[in-house]
Amino acid sequence: MAPSTPTETRVGLKDGSEAVLTLADVAVAALHTPEDEKYDVLAVVGGKNVPALVLVRNALKGRDPSNTNIAEMALHDLGFSILVRRRFANATGEPVRLTREQINNSSI
């Protein structure tokens, strides 16, 4: 028998604490979270592509996840599909490797 998808998961927050993120909270938050293509990590919820970080923040009623990766993993744990946009250098066409500082600042 296949394992079932959990209905809740834990999320690390910027303040160092943890919060419980539920499937129900994400579903309700998705109704009020607009699609926004400027973000690089999107979650597919109810046929919409919504920013993972914003969605988790809305589901946690304004509390901030530590970063985009934490939000992405939490949504994935709850069974949502995740879309990640890759960046390519215009000159070479090669994938761009971000520095640690750029990655850390990407969720602000």
Side-chain angles (χ1 to χ4, degrees):
M1 184 160 76
S4 63
T5 302
T7 59
E8 66 180 39
T9 189
R10 298 188 81 64
V11 178
L13 302 177
K14 278 189 177 181
D15 67 7
S17 65
E18 283 190 339
V20 174
L21 180 69
T22 69
L23 188 59
D25 289 338
V26 171
V28 170
L31 295 172
H32 308 288
T33 304
E35 292 184 283
D36 191 339
E37 297 296 322
K38 76 177 182 188
Y39 288 86
D40 291 334
V41 180
L42 304 168
V44 181
V45 184
K48 292 175 25 179
N49 297 333
V50 294
L53 182 67
V54 175
L55 177 60
V56 171
R57 182 182 301 130
N58 291 346
L60 295 174
K61 297 169 180 57
R63 293 178 290 167
D64 280 319
S66 297
N67 56 44
T68 302
N69 190 48
I70 294 295
E72 173 188 349
M73 290 187 311
L75 292 168
H76 183 265
D77 288 348
L78 292 174
F80 294 100
S81 295
I82 304 296
L83 306 173
V84 180
R85 183 186 342 262
R86 299 262 339 230
R87 296 177 189 214
F88 293 88
N90 290 336
T92 65
E94 295 292 318
V96 174
R97 295 187 73 83
L98 301 177
T99 65
R100 175 62 51 200
E101 182 177 331
Q102 289 170 316
I103 292 169
N104 289 342
N105 292 332
S106 68
S107 64
I108 296 175

